Amino acid sequence: MGITFSGGPTALLELGGVRLLTDPTFDAPGDHPVGERVLVKTEESALTEEAAGVVDAVLLSHDQHPDNLDDRGRAYLATVPLTLVTPSGAARLGGTARGLEPWESTQVGSLTVTAVPALHGPEGASRVTGDVTGFVLTGDGLPTVYVSGDNASVELVREIAARFRVDIAVLFAGAARTVLFDGAPLTLTSVDAVEAAKVLGAAKVVPLHFRGWGHFSEGPDVLRKEFETAGLGDRLVLLEPGEHAEV
């Protein structure tokens, strides 16, 4: 699989001749109000819409928060043939958005894309943060890829591992924290990302969602330290914005 990291939760995945973009964020650094809160983007996106180019589909964890879908990201969705997201997200977005329930699958070129459960915060968080989804990508002769989306639950990762043998885990990490839930992490902490890697047995782990926004509380140094401490440093593929890797 080829992967190009743009920053934040956004990356271009190339697998089995299919091009997929995760959670499009292209806006310039600055403030993004969310109700009474403000999320602050701190870095430019390495990829522009033009650099991302033509994709077969967007894999959208959720549409409710600007650190996963910002203004230019929303405009970008109008140019793509398919956006896979939660059913509630598809109802809000319209256009080419298609909602998938957990464990529901669809075909995108040579890939089968299966929606998998995710929880954006501690137990019960969905009442406040809303529905989110992850994805598993499978295809004949291809590595199985798990894209976690904004998931903070290792228990849900265990459910996914019981159904799929994952080769590559693309984990939204960063331990995102806001005033919600007394600052409890809304995405995987670095320790939880290590545990998720162990549970999945993934040969390679590519973190996203760990830099570029002010509410990401654990950056690349913490991720690297925790994976090395756990003896899994050789599995970690930690990319700089704009960097491409063949995994």
Side-chain angles (χ1 to χ4, degrees), residues 15 107 110-114 136-140 142-145 164:
L15 180 66
Q107 203 71 19
S110 63
L111 300 180
T112 300
V113 180
T114 303
V136 172
L137 316 177
T138 56
D140 290 343
L142 298 172
T144 296
V145 180
F164 294 94

Side-chain angles (χ1 to χ4, degrees), residues 3-12 21-27 41-48 66-70 172 207-213 216 239-244:
I3 181 166
T4 305
F5 179 43
S6 179
T10 309
L12 180 64
L21 193 73
T22 61
D23 291 20
T25 53
F26 298 113
D27 286 1
K41 187 173 184 178
T42 59
E43 295 180 341
E44 291 278 1
S45 299
L47 294 179
T48 63
D67 62 315
N68 296 86
L69 184 66
D70 59 18
F172 286 33
L208 303 180
H209 197 277
F210 61 90
R211 61 180 296 164
W213 290 80
F216 297 171
L239 300 177
E240 292 288 323
E243 188 176 359
H244 175 85

Side-chain angles (χ1 to χ4, degrees), residues 6-200:
S6 179
T10 309
L12 180 64
L13 312 181
E14 299 170 279
L15 180 66
V18 177
R19 302 178 86 248
L20 304 166
L21 193 73
T22 61
D23 291 20
T25 53
F26 298 113
D27 286 1
D31 293 352
H32 289 263
V34 183
E36 296 181 354
R37 295 172 289 131
V38 176
L39 303 183
V40 181
K41 187 173 184 178
T42 59
E43 295 180 341
E44 291 278 1
S45 299
L47 294 179
T48 63
E49 298 89 329
E50 293 75 18
V54 178
V55 298
D56 297 287
V58 164
L59 304 179
L60 181 58
S61 167
H62 61 296
D63 66 301
Q64 301 98 307
H65 302 139
D67 62 315
N68 296 86
L69 184 66
D70 59 18
D71 293 338
R72 285 169 58 182
R74 286 179 183 274
Y76 178 78
L77 294 186
T79 72
V80 303
L82 177 65
T83 297
L84 298 176
V85 66
T86 63
S88 61
R92 286 186 293 268
L93 292 169
T96 63
R98 176 178 174 187
L100 295 178
E101 297 283 357
W103 312 119
E104 184 180 358
S105 298
T106 192
Q107 203 71 19
V108 181
S110 63
L111 300 180
T112 300
V113 180
T114 303
V116 293
L119 178 62
H120 196 5
E123 197 64 38
S126 58
R127 294 192 301 271
V128 176
T129 53
D131 296 335
V132 297
T133 189
F135 302 93
V136 172
L137 316 177
T138 56
D140 290 343
L142 298 172
T144 296
V145 180
Y146 167 51
V147 181
S148 73
D150 273 12
N151 173 54
S153 170
V154 175
E155 288 308 307
L156 288 180
V157 175
R158 296 185 196 282
E159 292 185 24
I160 293 159
R163 297 194 185 212
F164 294 94
R165 184 188 179 282
V166 171
D167 300 298
I168 302 169
V170 179
L171 300 181
F172 286 33
R177 301 177 193 271
T178 70
V179 295
L180 297 178
F181 314 115
D182 295 323
L186 306 180
T187 53
L188 293 172
T189 66
S190 299
V191 168
D192 286 340
V194 168
E195 184 62 23
K198 292 178 180 177
V199 166
L200 293 164

